[in-house]
Amino acid sequence: METDEPQRVLPFQLQFDKPVASQIKIAEWNPEKDLLAMVTEDSKILLHRFNWQRLWTISPGKSITSLCWRPDGKAIAVGVEDGTISLHDVENGKLLRTLKSHTVAVVCLNWEEDGQLIKDDSCNISTYEDRTPRFFPPAPRIPRTPGVVSGDTGFMDDSEDSFLELSNSSHQRFNILCSGDKDGSICFSIFGIFPIGKINIHQLHVPAPIVDEQATYQLLNTSIYKVALSKDLCRLIVTCTGQLKQDSDKLIESQISGHDTHGLHCLVLNTSIFSERKNELHQVAQQASNIEDLTEVVQASLTIMCKQWSDAMHTFHEKFDSLSTLITDHGLDSSPQEEFLSLLGGARTSPPLHQFLVNSLAEVGVKRVSKAVCGAGKELQLVVLDHLQPAAEIIGFRMGELRGLSRWRARYQGIGLDEKLINNATEKSGMFLVQVERFMRVLSSVVQQFSNFSNWLLKCIKILMQEPSDQFLRYNSELVVIFLKFLYDQDPVRQLLDPSEVDHEVEVDLETMQKIRELVQFGGFSDCNYLQRTLLKEFQQMESSFKEAFLMPFTTISRKILCEDLLPLFPLPSSPAPTSITIPMSVSYYEDISQSYQISDHHGFIDYLSFRIPDEPFSDITNCIGIARGFMHDLSSVKRGCSSLEAVLLSVPAGYQCVDLSLYKETQIVLLLNETSMSSENNGEACMMIVQASDLPFVSISRSNSLNHWELHQLKDSVVYLQIENEKVRGIPHSVIAPLAVSASRGVACVFAARKRAMVYILDEDEDEVSDAE
């Protein structure tokens, strides 16, 4: 092509042609920076700058099925085959958060932020202010397990702010992460971290396109291809394969000979709840997501505390359990506590106790046990003071904020913020804070008594060995007695921490229980039995109450996401399986500058849907690309007796086949074309072409009275034939494969060649200026 047109100025300038170790299967440009994220066939994520400098590489260890950027470009969402979505920091690739919203592979992701300012009913700008920093220092981080190298747990170092930045959603514009899986489920999460809704395409009732049509339909055997939220978050376009079925359990009879109702369909879902209640949802999501962060801090703190104390008590029992064996070997019928009490009372030391203190334990052993137990006690106190207690306090404050919001029923009941459930969760958070303070008192008492017991033993050992004992600290005999009676073979600290003690009830005297019941009469709480629960059990009850309270908004929003319209695009064969079919497709929204759409109330944006049409469905429509626009607004237009839906068919130049396509800024479409005539000696050539969609002769589509009519037949007599000579084209000297990734910020197209080479092209925005310069 370049030799045939030597004088033609090519709009694409080759920037890089770099080899890659493994074939690229997914590629996405950062929306704000010149960064390209790529997923390889061996499931590695690579991040490159525009100059091809590699910033980082990570390998999640599972097959990656989808990828998308957060709108501000500071985080990236990765969908994997087991249904998990992980969020990674753009700076270093570190894991920020994981969501388990799906049970099967996440095949598509779309992250969109609100393009409009939040306004209240008085039309004044109203943004949510997080008041927590007014009363509390920065939220505590997850404590690091002693001996674990930084980063091994998947969380950030103390010097890094990525984890807090992700959670600090009050500084973000309201945004929604939408994900679809291969079984037809679509999940929504605010800021990518707070699940707020889920629908299943199979369970949606699709209305007929005509107002007086009463029938509704369902889609069976659905596989989602793309999801795209509108710029105002009011509509979601879903492209999927499936089979239409009328709600009367009768499959629709096809009007197209030789094909059934299985095909590619386009749905419009009403997600206006996200726009109408974005201020309320922002506040709830802010509080709930931060509470979730803090519960992770609490959970990790309890786990670390349990391990540290268990290790210390293991050291104690490792040294002191041998005394029981010595007593048995000497034929005595007594317990270690009785032997110690006899020693404390001034009686003669028995041979086994003498052997234990002088030979088995000795001064070194006592000091080791004392250091282990008292050191663990201090570590636990630091974890409580630096992590657990601050987290519990902030949780209580945030639940108090949510409690106040839940009482504003006119605004918050509509999004599922249930006052009764929030009240229960608030009480549980208060009970947990009481339990934390109680735990600190128990821990302090136990550590003090262990220290006192160790001082007494050290003095006894020195006396038995007839050595001076004045250098040791004084001890309290009464505390030694209490220790031997209650703490020698009991562990109240472990009782409050160990998961194996979850169902164990803490004994509380009758007098204390009576006082608790009397306090209930003053109000503020209704649970009389919280002192009988362990700290871990209290945390589990608190966490359960949070899940129950936040499930209500999730369920409420899910019920309000409804299907408004369905557009059958073209039929597909029932076999092979839908998952094996690859259809190049792109969905985007452009600013509407045409007069024909001024009646639209969707903030000046119009949807564009482009897709390659397989050759098999239509014998009279071959090697074509379909472009449809205005589908998102079509339902309201149909009710007025007209249709805003327009479409056009583009015929790919003879000898070429579309490999991939992508919508580009200013209503342009980038096509990646391969030559169809290839041989073993010739690998063929390819080209990259730009088509100006706004200049195409779109044809208005009249909607059928039923959904069993493939609308593209209306366009078969008005096909637009693309010409290599008339379009912006760049030749590529060898065949290429998907993916094609374009960057609207830099005018960049990135093509990945079949021979494992990545080519980056810059698009010349002003071809006339280049021509004049030459």
Side-chain angles (χ1 to χ4, degrees):
M1 288 178 291
E2 296 183 41
T3 56
D4 296 338
E5 297 284 338
Q7 302 300 321
R8 178 174 173 77
V9 178
L10 299 177
F12 298 100
Q13 303 299 325
L14 181 61
Q15 182 75 10
F16 296 110
D17 185 358
K18 300 290 184 179
V20 289
S22 179
Q23 184 60 49
I24 306 297
K25 65 177 184 179
I26 305 173
E28 293 287 345
W29 285 95
N30 187 300
E32 295 293 331
K33 304 176 183 178
D34 291 324
L35 300 175
L36 178 64
M38 299 167 287
V39 177
T40 61
E41 290 287 354
D42 55 355
S43 290
K44 292 181 180 178
I45 305 176
L46 316 176
L47 188 73
H48 282 267
R49 292 189 187 276
F50 178 71
N51 61 6
W52 209 248
Q53 174 192 2
R54 184 179 296 186
L55 295 183
W56 46 258
T57 302
I58 58 175
S59 181
K62 300 176 182 177
S63 178
I64 300 172
T65 52
S66 54
L67 188 80
C68 82
W69 287 96
R70 197 170 75 177
D72 62 3
K74 294 181 179 179
I76 189 168
V78 179
V80 297
E81 61 180 350
D82 66 351
T84 301
I85 300 174
S86 59
L87 307 183
H88 296 264
D89 179 35
V90 66
E91 297 296 334
N92 47 32
K94 291 288 187 68
L95 178 66
L96 302 176
R97 181 70 64 86
T98 58
L99 293 88
K100 186 63 176 176
S101 302
H102 301 270
T103 57
V104 293
V106 181
V107 295
C108 57
L109 291 165
N110 177 238
W111 209 335
E112 192 65 55
E113 74 177 7
D114 174 39
Q116 304 295 318
L117 291 174
I118 299 175
K119 294 186 177 182
D120 59 19
D121 296 336
S122 302
C123 296
N124 297 319
I125 296 176
S126 173
T127 57
Y128 168 59
E129 178 189 4
D130 184 11
R131 301 192 302 167
T132 309
R134 295 186 189 178
F135 308 101
F136 297 94
R141 294 179 177 273
I142 291 179
R144 190 174 300 157
T145 304
V148 176
V149 179
S150 174
D152 289 352
T153 60
F155 292 97
M156 302 294 100
D157 294 336
D158 289 339
S159 60
E160 297 173 318
D161 297 325
S162 300
F163 183 71
L164 287 181
E165 192 280 330
L166 176 74
S167 303
N168 195 8
S169 49
S170 62
H171 299 294
Q172 297 182 37
R173 297 182 68 172
F174 185 71
N175 60 70
I176 301 287
L177 174 62
C178 179
S179 57
D181 64 34
K182 68 176 185 179
D183 284 352
S185 293
I186 301 175
C187 295
F188 305 87
S189 58
I190 301 176
F191 308 118
I193 54 180
F194 178 60
I196 195 58
K198 182 175 183 178
I199 61 171
N200 194 302
I201 297 297
H202 304 290
Q203 300 172 355
L204 287 176
H205 296 280
V206 183
I210 303 301
V211 177
D212 58 357
E213 181 69 45
Q214 299 299 319
T216 57
Y217 304 89
Q218 287 182 290
L219 277 169
L220 305 178
N221 305 319
T222 308
S223 179
I224 296 176
Y225 266 76
K226 293 277 187 179
V227 291
L229 275 168
S230 60
K231 298 294 183 182
D232 57 1
L233 309 181
C234 287
R235 300 290 186 276
L236 176 72
I237 289 182
V238 182
T239 57
C240 60
T241 60
Q243 189 170 17
L244 281 173
K245 175 184 176 182
Q246 198 166 341
D247 278 353
S248 60
D249 296 332
K250 180 180 180 181
L251 286 175
I252 303 173
E253 296 180 1
S254 175
Q255 294 180 352
I256 303 176
S257 175
H259 297 285
D260 58 21
T261 58
H262 181 268
L264 183 71
H265 307 280
C266 188
L267 298 174
V268 171
L269 305 185
N270 186 336
T271 58
S272 58
I273 185 68
F274 295 139
S275 177
E276 295 169 356
R277 297 294 185 180
K278 56 191 171 186
N279 197 12
E280 294 89 336
L281 289 171
H282 189 163
Q283 296 184 56
V284 172
Q286 166 70 18
Q287 302 289 12
S289 59
N290 276 272
I291 287 172
E292 183 179 347
D293 292 340
L294 294 168
T295 55
E296 290 183 7
V297 173
V298 173
Q299 178 69 69
S301 299
L302 292 175
T303 302
I304 291 174
M305 290 162 60
C306 181
K307 183 180 185 305
Q308 288 180 315
W309 189 255
S310 296
D311 291 344
M313 296 310 296
H314 175 74
T315 302
F316 173 79
H317 291 292
E318 185 181 37
K319 289 294 184 181
F320 280 80
D321 285 353
S322 61
L323 177 57
S324 299
T325 305
L326 289 173
I327 293 173
T328 303
D329 292 344
H330 282 78
L332 300 179
D333 187 15
S334 61
S335 65
Q337 294 95 316
E338 292 172 343
E339 293 293 330
F340 281 125
L341 286 172
S342 177
L343 177 62
L344 180 64
R348 185 176 179 179
T349 307
S350 64
L353 181 58
H354 187 280
Q355 180 181 346
F356 171 73
L357 293 177
V358 175
N359 300 327
S360 300
L361 184 62
E363 182 180 345
V364 175
V366 174
K367 289 182 177 180
R368 180 188 172 191
V369 171
S370 179
K371 181 180 179 181
V373 176
C374 296
K378 291 180 180 179
E379 289 293 330
L380 263 62
Q381 288 175 338
L382 288 176
V383 171
V384 172
L385 294 175
D386 295 342
H387 302 276
L388 184 62
Q389 190 170 14
E393 291 174 349
I394 300 177
I395 286 174
F397 178 82
R398 291 192 175 278
M399 285 309 306
E401 294 266 275
L402 283 174
R403 186 181 186 184
L405 296 178
S406 68
R407 293 181 175 180
W408 194 353
R409 300 184 185 90
R411 298 194 66 170
Y412 289 90
Q413 196 171 34
I415 63 169
L417 201 62
D418 184 86
E419 183 178 357
K420 183 178 179 180
L421 294 177
I422 294 296
N423 285 342
N424 178 58
T426 305
E427 179 176 321
K428 293 299 182 185
S429 64
M431 293 296 103
F432 180 73
L433 186 57
V434 171
Q435 292 279 43
V436 171
E437 295 174 352
R438 172 198 185 192
F439 173 80
M440 283 292 284
R441 292 195 300 270
V442 172
L443 176 63
S444 178
S445 174
V446 169
V447 171
Q448 179 187 2
Q449 294 192 52
F450 262 104
S451 178
N452 183 75
F453 179 68
S454 300
N455 291 336
W456 172 68
L457 281 185
L458 285 172
K459 194 161 253 188
C460 291
I461 292 173
K462 286 293 186 180
I463 293 174
L464 291 174
M465 298 179 68
Q466 297 181 350
E467 295 180 359
S469 60
D470 296 337
Q471 69 271 26
F472 293 108
L473 296 174
R474 300 187 60 173
Y475 63 90
N476 187 313
S477 300
E478 294 181 1
L479 289 181
V480 173
V481 174
I482 294 174
F483 178 87
L484 292 173
K485 285 187 175 181
F486 300 103
L487 296 183
Y488 184 85
D489 56 357
Q490 297 180 25
D491 189 356
V493 174
R494 183 180 177 87
Q495 182 184 35
L496 294 175
L497 291 174
D498 195 348
S500 63
E501 302 290 342
V502 169
D503 297 327
H504 177 76
E505 287 191 355
V506 180
E507 293 185 5
V508 181
D509 60 272
L510 296 177
E511 182 180 356
T512 302
M513 289 299 299
Q514 181 60 34
K515 290 181 179 179
I516 294 296
R517 295 188 183 96
E518 292 174 358
L519 287 175
V520 171
Q521 305 302 320
F522 290 94
F525 67 99
S526 58
D527 189 353
C528 298
N529 300 318
Y530 68 93
L531 289 179
Q532 295 178 303
R533 291 191 292 268
T534 66
L535 183 62
L536 190 59
K537 182 68 174 179
E538 196 69 60
F539 168 72
Q540 292 176 341
Q541 288 202 5
M542 180 184 72
E543 190 178 31
S544 177
S545 69
F546 292 164
K547 291 179 180 179
E548 186 180 11
F550 299 144
L551 180 62
M552 187 62 71
F554 179 90
T555 305
T556 302
I557 299 300
S558 298
R559 289 198 300 261
K560 294 188 177 184
I561 299 175
L562 305 174
C563 183
E564 285 190 341
D565 201 4
L566 180 143
L567 176 67
L569 296 176
F570 51 79
L572 290 171
S574 298
S575 60
T579 53
S580 64
I581 302 174
T582 301
I583 303 173
M585 184 179 304
S586 183
V587 183
S588 187
Y589 298 90
Y590 292 131
E591 186 174 357
D592 180 18
I593 57 175
S594 64
Q595 295 296 322
S596 58
Y597 294 100
Q598 292 303 316
I599 58 175
S600 170
D601 59 348
H602 292 275
H603 305 292
F605 285 94
I606 182 172
D607 56 284
Y608 274 75
L609 172 68
S610 60
F611 49 90
R612 189 190 72 191
I613 304 173
D615 293 338
E616 292 80 10
F618 305 115
S619 58
D620 49 354
I621 301 177
T622 58
N623 200 20
C624 283
I625 294 169
I627 305 174
R629 69 181 183 186
F631 174 50
M632 185 178 67
H633 313 312
D634 192 59
L635 185 62
S636 59
S637 301
V638 167
K639 292 180 180 179
R640 293 192 302 267
C642 59
S643 174
S644 65
L645 177 64
E646 294 181 338
V648 65
L649 290 182
L650 305 181
S651 177
V652 176
Y656 287 90
Q657 183 179 18
C658 180
V659 176
D660 203 357
L661 51 84
S662 179
L663 290 166
Y664 183 57
K665 64 179 181 179
E666 298 176 356
T667 63
Q668 294 178 332
I669 297 175
V670 182
L671 305 178
L672 194 59
L673 307 178
N674 259 348
E675 275 191 342
T676 55
S677 57
M678 291 186 295
S679 62
S680 58
E681 300 178 356
N682 179 20
N683 292 327
E685 292 186 351
C687 70
M688 190 159 48
M689 176 186 296
I690 280 192
V691 177
Q692 188 70 31
S694 58
D695 296 339
L696 295 173
F698 282 88
V699 177
S700 180
I701 297 292
S702 60
R703 304 299 298 277
S704 172
N705 289 347
S706 60
L707 293 176
N708 58 335
H709 184 75
W710 305 109
E711 309 291 354
L712 294 182
H713 270 292
Q714 302 178 42
L715 306 173
K716 64 181 180 180
D717 296 328
S718 57
V719 177
V720 176
Y721 293 90
L722 300 177
Q723 302 293 332
I724 295 292
E725 298 80 9
N726 299 334
E727 308 295 341
K728 294 181 179 180
V729 176
R730 169 72 195 221
I732 301 173
H734 48 76
S735 62
V736 294
I737 63 173
L740 166 70
V742 299
S743 168
S745 62
R746 196 62 192 267
V748 175
C750 186
V751 184
F752 295 99
R755 55 190 178 97
K756 293 184 181 180
R757 298 193 67 84
M759 295 174 291
V760 178
Y761 290 87
I762 299 179
L763 173 62
D764 195 328
E765 297 288 357
D766 196 337
E767 198 172 344
D768 295 333
E769 292 184 7
V770 176
S771 301
D772 294 340
E774 294 196 0

